[in-house]
Amino acid sequence: MTREQFISHVEATQKAFRRFLVALCCGDTALADDVAQESYIKAYLSCDSFSDLEKFNAWIFKIGYNTFINHKRGERLTVGYEDAKELTAQDSADSSFAYQELYTALNHIPAKERTSVLLFYMQGYSIKEIADIQETTQVAVKQHLSRGRNHLRGLLSTN
């Protein structure tokens, strides 16, 4: 892939990629920006070895997902779901954000479930494509989707 092709593909996919990362980071736009920047750097540094331009979207989403997971590995959840809801309700900037309740619930479910739900429902990826991005089986993706929906249903119905 040439530099020009890389730039063209980034420009064509950056809005969807950013939307995915903001949702994956549960509304934390600063973290999403950091993950996006790091992902684009990683992709650019390895674009010489990438040749299937038709799969650029899946490739960049996979890099973004892995970058996010690497960032989250060292992080520990220090507040519970109910505490997080109270904190976001008190913060006027977050409470005015239309999807904050969903992001709070997404933050409470496991990362693989969250990623599967976001890629399937928000980005429209197929189960096979999600399996490729997450480097797992299609059966595992179906389980992540089912469990993720159930977790979200339980978290969002308590409101």
Side-chain angles (χ1 to χ4, degrees):
M1 172 183 292
T2 67
R3 180 177 186 263
E4 291 75 25
Q5 288 172 319
F6 180 81
I7 291 170
S8 173
H9 278 76
V10 166
E11 288 173 348
T13 61
Q14 73 183 33
K15 285 184 182 179
F17 184 58
R18 175 116 171 39
R19 221 177 19 250
F20 165 70
L21 291 177
V22 168
L24 190 62
C25 295
C26 301
D28 186 344
T29 57
L31 175 58
D33 290 342
D34 290 346
V35 171
Q37 183 176 12
E38 189 175 335
S39 299
Y40 284 132
I41 290 169
K42 288 177 181 179
Y44 183 74
L45 292 175
S46 62
C47 73
D48 289 339
S49 63
F50 183 75
S51 59
D52 192 354
L53 298 178
E54 296 294 318
K55 294 187 178 182
F56 181 84
N57 288 7
W59 181 62
I60 197 70
F61 275 70
K62 183 177 186 175
I63 292 170
Y65 168 74
N66 288 333
T67 302
F68 170 77
I69 292 298
N70 288 338
H71 174 76
K72 285 298 199 180
R73 278 195 176 126
E75 215 174 79
R76 298 278 186 247
L77 185 61
T78 57
V79 294
Y81 176 70
E82 293 302 320
D83 295 331
K85 278 182 20 182
E86 288 177 29
L87 288 172
T88 56
Q90 295 169 0
D91 186 352
S92 61
D94 282 31
S95 64
S96 65
F97 191 68
Y99 300 106
Q100 190 59 43
E101 187 176 340
L102 175 61
Y103 289 149
T104 302
L106 283 167
N107 194 35
H108 194 63
I109 67 174
K112 288 191 179 202
E113 291 175 16
R114 176 174 52 235
T115 304
S116 295
V117 167
L118 293 173
L119 287 172
F120 188 78
Y121 290 106
M122 191 171 139
Q123 298 300 326
Y125 279 97
S126 71
I127 290 174
K128 182 183 182 322
E129 292 169 322
I130 296 168
D132 290 342
I133 289 169
Q134 291 186 324
E135 296 178 338
T136 189
T137 65
Q138 292 181 40
V139 172
V141 170
K142 289 177 185 177
Q143 288 175 342
H144 295 153
L145 285 170
S146 176
R147 290 175 185 160
R149 283 189 298 262
N150 288 337
H151 284 135
L152 288 172
R153 188 177 300 119
L155 291 168
L156 294 172
S157 68
T158 60
N159 300 325

